Amino acid sequence: MASPVPEVSSVVAEARQLYEQTFGGRPQVVVCAPGRVNLIGEHTDYNDGFVLPMALPLVTVVVGSQTPGQDVTVITAAKDVDESRSVTFHLPDDGAPLSPGQPSWANYVKGVVHHYRAQPVPGFRAVIASTVPLGGGLSSSASLEVAVYTFLQQLHPDDGDKVAKAVACQQAEHTHAGVPCGIMDQFVSVLGREAHALLIDCRSLEATPVPLSDPALVILITNSNVKHSLTGSEYPTRRRQCEEAASALGKASLRDATMKDLEDARNRLDNVTYCRARHVIEEIERTVQAAKALKRGSYEEFGKLMVESHHSLRDLYEVSCKELDELVSAAMEVEGVFGSRMTGGGFGGCTVTLLQAHAIDKTILRIQERYSGTPTFYVTTPSEGARVLNLS
């Protein structure tokens, strides 16, 4: 059956307990930021395209306090990290960048501290706890970045510009985690809205809320529990291939390209580059159409576009894997399922399925019967973005 999504209050309690055990005294600040699931629009964000994610009830919590001096100590409550669960570093006097290092999870914290928009950052100590699965394609990294940024806003406020906040968190991932990600994950973690997906224009950074509150409809996330790391070669390679394709088409990005442009240039592109570009160009259009279908309540059309997206990611972009394909196929065998697709960077992680609420148990059962691994299920609804929580 589906795993219950832990209450945010229970995550806060876990983080507080660890804080008090480690540092003594009560923390001054508690914040959280959500992970996300992308309903459609995969690998389009770094091509200036459209994406349609929603924020999740799965969150990263940061509790902590400002300290005198320029030392920072951060502890993670995560049980499944293979590295040290604590890190201490000194904030440089001269604004010099904090160098990435070990443990690797702390590089996200260092990156946010470096790119924070109201310098200088004061010293602090904090505990991080999260319910967003690591390496599951639900953006545990952006959730961590945005939570740390929100925490810093309580210690030393910036100007409150939410889009600039998301961009700063994206920069942190680029410079300190080495992942050339697009803006989607950080954007929806900051600006997510309860009962809505967000259609994000990744060029203009405008977001259009799309209602997703029909009680007869649910979003099922299925974690394949196959781990992946986007810092490997595949993600940067796909990004480079897209840039090469745009250049060959004489476009600033694939957002400006049409299928006619691509076909006209086909003899100038190798087959792999052609396939990568075709996925992106068609996926951008699919995402716009999907948002319109969702607004109309045309769930059948939306589901069809989800499946087309998965097939394109499998065949043209080549970022799916056997396990994700199995999960999608099994879900689509069940009456009441509108659509299913891999979500996130690929090579493992999760699928997202749109279905009628009454079909949840049948769908989970069918996937368990058909899937070769051990999946984890979450039944979710669109949730709000980063926020400050009450300490009491």
Side-chain angles (χ1 to χ4, degrees):
M1 292 296 100
S3 298
V5 175
E7 293 289 334
V8 174
S9 58
S10 69
V11 191
V12 170
E14 177 192 14
R16 264 188 83 165
Q17 182 180 19
L18 182 54
Y19 180 94
E20 289 165 6
Q21 284 174 350
T22 307
F23 301 117
R26 291 183 57 191
Q28 298 168 337
V29 174
V30 57
V31 303
C32 74
R36 64 94 190 98
V37 66
N38 191 24
L39 300 175
I40 194 165
E42 217 66 73
H43 291 280
T44 53
D45 59 345
Y46 54 82
N47 289 290
D48 285 348
F50 289 91
V51 290
L52 188 66
M54 67 181 215
L56 291 172
L58 300 161
V59 298
T60 297
V61 164
V62 178
V63 306
S65 306
Q66 185 170 332
T67 56
Q70 292 175 280
D71 286 332
V72 170
T73 300
V74 185
I75 296 172
T76 174
K79 307 291 193 294
D80 54 352
V81 292
D82 298 327
E83 312 164 283
S84 171
R85 289 172 56 190
S86 74
V87 65
T88 298
F89 55 89
H90 187 74
L91 296 168
D93 297 309
D94 55 1
L98 288 161
S99 299
Q102 296 298 322
S104 57
W105 61 264
N107 291 331
Y108 298 99
V109 179
K110 291 177 180 177
V112 172
V113 168
H114 175 69
H115 289 284
Y116 186 65
R117 297 176 58 253
Q119 298 288 341
V121 171
F124 64 89
R125 54 194 188 192
V127 169
I128 296 164
S130 186
T131 55
V132 188
L134 298 177
L138 301 180
S139 209
S140 55
S141 56
S143 174
L144 171 57
E145 291 151 8
V146 173
V148 171
Y149 196 106
T150 306
F151 173 75
L152 295 180
Q153 286 178 303
Q154 311 317 303
L155 305 187
H156 186 56
D158 67 353
D159 61 8
D161 183 323
K162 289 188 173 185
V163 172
K165 173 180 177 176
V167 171
C169 291
Q170 178 197 24
Q171 290 171 334
E173 187 139 349
H174 288 189
T175 59
H176 284 68
V179 180
C181 61
I183 191 63
M184 169 178 63
D185 299 353
Q186 294 81 5
F187 195 104
V188 72
S189 187
V190 172
L191 287 115
R193 280 182 58 170
E194 194 171 356
H196 292 79
L198 284 186
L199 178 67
I200 303 169
D201 181 335
C202 296
R203 169 176 285 168
S204 68
L205 299 184
E206 293 175 284
T208 306
V210 181
L212 187 54
S213 56
D214 185 338
L217 195 71
V218 293
I219 304 290
L220 174 67
I221 295 170
T222 306
N223 192 344
S224 68
N225 289 311
V226 176
K227 298 288 185 185
H228 67 84
S229 170
L230 289 183
T231 49
S233 64
E234 296 294 346
Y235 188 101
T237 297
R238 295 301 184 283
R239 186 163 186 158
R240 190 183 69 249
Q241 289 163 338
C242 291
E243 289 165 354
E244 289 169 356
S247 178
L249 298 178
K251 306 293 184 183
S253 73
L254 289 176
R255 163 71 175 272
D256 298 317
T258 64
M259 279 305 297
K260 182 179 186 306
D261 295 329
L262 185 61
E263 294 301 337
D264 288 348
R266 185 161 192 173
N267 62 356
R268 303 201 304 274
L269 301 170
D270 63 71
N271 189 56
V272 170
T273 307
Y274 167 84
C275 288
R276 303 297 187 254
R278 181 179 162 192
H279 163 74
V280 171
I281 292 167
E282 292 180 338
E283 183 82 347
I284 289 171
E285 178 59 25
R286 263 193 293 271
T287 304
V288 173
Q289 294 306 317
K292 291 176 180 174
L294 200 56
K295 283 179 184 172
R296 290 196 307 269
S298 181
Y299 305 137
E300 291 86 356
E301 181 185 348
F302 190 93
K304 181 170 172 285
L305 291 164
M306 290 177 79
V307 174
E308 286 177 11
S309 170
H310 181 78
H311 290 164
S312 180
L313 289 158
R314 181 191 67 195
D315 301 335
L316 297 176
Y317 221 66
E318 297 183 279
V319 290
S320 187
C321 59
K322 175 179 73 77
E323 293 88 354
L324 293 174
D325 296 342
E326 282 180 8
L327 293 174
V328 169
S329 297
M332 292 309 300
E333 291 173 3
V334 181
E335 189 178 341
V337 170
F338 294 114
S340 185
R341 58 184 287 279
M342 60 155 278
T343 186
F347 309 106
C350 295
T351 61
V352 57
T353 304
L354 184 76
L355 70 164
Q356 294 172 349
H358 68 76
I360 277 286
D361 291 345
K362 282 189 299 181
T363 305
I364 288 174
L365 194 60
R366 177 60 58 92
I367 290 171
Q368 287 173 327
E369 289 169 354
R370 299 277 186 171
Y371 181 49
S372 56
T374 306
T376 309
F377 302 95
Y378 303 96
V379 179
T380 65
T381 53
S383 302
E384 62 182 309
R387 54 205 184 269
V388 182
L389 301 171
N390 196 322
L391 259 174
S392 62

